[in-house]
Amino acid sequence: MPENKWTIQSANELYHIGSWGNGYFNINEQGNLTILPERDSSGPVIDMSHVISEIKRQGIAFPCVIRFYDILRSQIVSLNRTFRKIIEDADYKGRYYGVYPIKVNQLREVVEEIVDAGSSYDYGLEAGSRPELIAALAYNTNQYSLTILNGYKDEDYLRLGLLGNKLGKKIIVVIEKLTELPLLLKLAEEMKVTPIIGIRAKLSTKGTGKWSESSGEKAKFGLSIAEILQAVKILKDHGKEDCLKLFHFHMGSQITDIRAIKDALTEGARIYTRLVKMNLNIEYFDVGGGLGIDYDGSKSTNDSSMNYTQEDYIEDVVYILKQICDLEEVAHPHIVSESGRAISAHHSCVIAQVVDHIDSCYTKYPTDKSIGEHILVSNMRELKKELTEKNIQETYNDAQQLKDESINAFKLGILSLEEKAKIETMYWKIMKKILNFMEDKKFVPEEMWDLEEHLASQYLCNFSVFQSVPDLWAIDQLLPIIPITRLNEEPDQLCTIADITCDSDGKINKFINPEEEKRTLDVHRLRDNEDYYLGIFLTGAYQDVMGDMHNLLAGLNEVHIFCDDEDPTDFYIEDHIPGTTASEALSFMQYNQQYLTRTIKRNIEKQVQRGKISPKEGVGLVNFYNKCLGSYTYLK
Ligand SMILES: *Cc1c(COP(=O)(O)O)cnc(C)c1O
């Protein structure tokens, strides 16, 4: 069989880096993954293995979240520039005012970086709860940019918003349910401030993908047309109709199909223009979030993909809105969008070390014939000897049957431990050989589908699925996972990933693949004395801040990387946020460090008094316990 030579191009194709990477990732001649924060090889190109070495040199432990703030900045610039360009090309009369929804990644540094990168575009923030507003009030310092308040609101949430208006900030309170409106008007009067009001419409158009329930008639947010008309009446009754400045809808996150976006825009634009014709001076048209990320690189309507580009999306927003405004002879409003996922997904990744591999089907046990062995053992050996490409199916069936019989025989006490070990070993050898025969076959019988996953080894990774990729566990989100090094070597192993929690859900057996998701990942054979790291990418939206502490495996070390302005291959770690220690993780669960230490110390002292432990050893043990309390929660 002629072997095609493995190149870094082959690795690029196998892992689909070009499809999901949006130009930010590539592979260099050394076979290492590289980061291109400007999506251009004439800009900075950072070797990820150098980043890992630098993290190690600084004594920071893995697993680790790595944030490339230059990618975050690029995404902001790209969104704003594209909007500006298309608005200009379309001769659209309004401006673009984007806002970043804090809930997508609430980390202060992320929000700060976004505000800073967006300042020249008057890019603002969106809050969906009172605590988020508390942050947004302090961090949106640009008097021209918007702060949009969504979500359900109590009095204090509304008062905080009005406080912002008093400070001269452009805070827009979006009415999500009708009862918020009279309350807002009452509080504004009390505080002697003019509110800026938005209304969220509940569109009839439903989204697509996992979050399609965020819109449509049964959505939990927004006002129906009847309620919008009621709201307008309330405003007019109070003489406050001029405070209504923004029209909003949100279709749900990760819209997979551009048709849903077109439909929603058409419906939204019609409502907007008809409202304007009721003598309402609405200035902003807010299309919400939903701009997707192509996690699996398939450019399809898969849940983890999208069948359009950012540019397609922006063109639809601008041109559809323009067309309907022109038809209805209504002035073009300013356009607001609330893209979160599309801004923050690319900038962060999780790097975890593979610490071991687990073979589910051990085949190294000696299976030589022994005198007087059980007939089941002999039969299995016979099957193995006679397996050829022509009798795959029969052999597969017979092997299954023999294995089942041997389990029963063992339960009845007829088989010895050694005989059972031999049967299992030969069974797995047969399966491996069958799998090899199947490799070039187009048609694979259904019952053999599981074989590949079964025979793949598990790579044990020092991280927790529940902490680092909760969306993968909770909602079947697919994420690109690839080795960081050795990409110039052909991967010759298939694996699934096991994390270090004691939970059988703590595994990854779904991997991106344009046709149909794969159940195994292509990886390299582990080498002694050589670290092997896997990177989980596109983790910067939502799951970054949604992890939980299963098994008390808690927050990860984080490093924030910036490119060096002088040297395009260099970078520096601007900040290191230490991960959670065992003692901090325990204290979240109400354990008291002093109590823990004191109790263990007392126990040890008792054993010292009894002469079971020497005083010197006792001191050592107390110190060791304390050291563990103060250390990172992951494997060392
Ligand atoms: C969550 C949310 C967003 C962000 O959506 P993305 O799909 O992440 O862009 C925007 N607006 C509202 C009202 C939201 O609830």
Side-chain angles (χ1 to χ4, degrees), residues 101 103-104 126 150-151 176 200 221 248-250 252-255 286 288-292 338-343 541-542:
K103 75 157 189 268
V104 181
E126 185 260 9
N150 291 322
E176 301 264 11
R200 174 165 176 174
F221 293 111
H248 170 57
F249 61 86
H250 170 66
S253 206
Q254 185 69 12
I255 307 278
D286 178 354
L291 176 55
E338 307 176 344
S339 285
R341 185 186 295 277
I343 291 292
Y542 297 103

Side-chain angles (χ1 to χ4, degrees), residues 102-139:
I102 294 186
K103 75 157 189 268
V104 181
N105 193 322
Q106 299 122 335
L107 193 72
R108 170 178 56 81
E109 286 88 342
V110 168
V111 172
E112 265 179 347
E113 210 55 46
I114 287 173
V115 168
D116 186 61
S119 63
S120 55
Y121 303 99
D122 298 330
Y123 192 74
L125 294 175
E126 185 260 9
S129 68
R130 181 155 28 81
E132 287 183 355
L133 174 56
I134 292 171
L137 272 178
Y139 277 84

Side-chain angles (χ1 to χ4, degrees), residues 159-169 171 187-188 190-194:
R159 269 199 201 101
L160 270 180
L162 293 166
L163 180 159
N165 291 129
K166 264 193 176 274
L167 304 179
K169 292 172 187 277
I171 309 265
L187 295 171
E190 274 171 29
M191 290 174 72
K192 300 193 177 57
V193 62
T194 309

Side-chain angles (χ1 to χ4, degrees), residues 12 105 115 149 222 308 487 531 558 580:
N12 236 318
N105 193 322
V115 168
L149 312 195
Y308 58 95
L487 295 163
D531 293 343
E558 273 198 34
T580 315

Side-chain angles (χ1 to χ4, degrees), residues 161-339:
L162 293 166
L163 180 159
N165 291 129
K166 264 193 176 274
L167 304 179
K169 292 172 187 277
K170 282 200 190 168
I171 309 265
I172 304 185
V173 179
V174 175
I175 301 299
E176 301 264 11
K177 64 180 171 42
L178 204 50
T179 50
E180 289 170 356
L181 184 57
L183 185 59
L184 175 68
L185 293 174
K186 182 183 106 183
L187 295 171
E189 191 150 318
E190 274 171 29
M191 290 174 72
K192 300 193 177 57
V193 62
T194 309
I196 315 176
I197 302 174
I199 32 176
R200 174 165 176 174
K202 194 183 278 192
L203 300 186
S204 309
T205 308
K206 267 183 85 165
T208 59
K210 280 190 198 300
W211 288 274
S212 58
E213 298 291 318
S214 304
S215 62
E217 278 151 14
K218 268 173 38 198
K220 103 182 190 197
F221 293 111
L223 308 187
S224 65
I225 300 286
E227 287 169 317
I228 291 175
L229 294 178
Q230 186 69 30
V232 171
K233 183 169 183 305
I234 294 174
L235 284 167
K236 287 194 168 162
D237 287 349
H238 285 75
K240 294 285 184 206
E241 64 267 34
D242 276 350
C243 295
L244 181 60
K245 291 289 182 211
L246 178 139
F247 173 79
H248 170 57
F249 61 86
H250 170 66
M251 298 273 291
S253 206
Q254 185 69 12
I255 307 278
T256 54
D257 191 343
I258 187 95
R259 273 183 314 178
I261 292 168
K262 290 177 196 282
D263 285 350
L265 276 161
T266 308
E267 187 185 348
R270 286 288 177 194
I271 305 174
Y272 163 78
T273 50
R274 300 294 163 97
L275 287 175
V276 171
K277 285 179 170 174
M278 291 169 68
N279 279 330
L280 291 164
N281 186 20
I282 307 176
E283 292 172 22
Y284 300 95
F285 186 87
D286 178 354
V287 299
L291 176 55
I293 286 283
D294 193 2
Y295 292 96
D296 72 8
S298 68
K299 300 185 168 48
S300 71
T301 54
N302 289 349
D303 281 350
S304 299
S305 187
M306 61 205 261
N307 67 356
Y308 58 95
T309 63
Q310 175 181 288
E311 192 154 327
D312 297 338
Y313 170 84
I314 297 175
E315 274 180 357
D316 274 347
V317 170
V318 174
Y319 282 97
I320 292 176
L321 190 53
K322 177 178 153 72
Q323 187 192 24
I324 293 179
C325 286
D326 290 349
L327 278 172
E328 299 264 2
E329 295 178 329
V330 161
H332 301 166
H334 297 310
I335 297 172
V336 178
S337 82
E338 307 176 344
S339 285

Side-chain angles (χ1 to χ4, degrees), residues 541-559:
Y542 297 103
Q543 48 201 325
D544 217 13
V545 287
M546 297 206 314
D548 68 36
M549 297 207 302
H550 199 351
N551 273 131
L552 293 181
L553 296 167
L556 266 58
N557 279 324
E558 273 198 34
V559 293

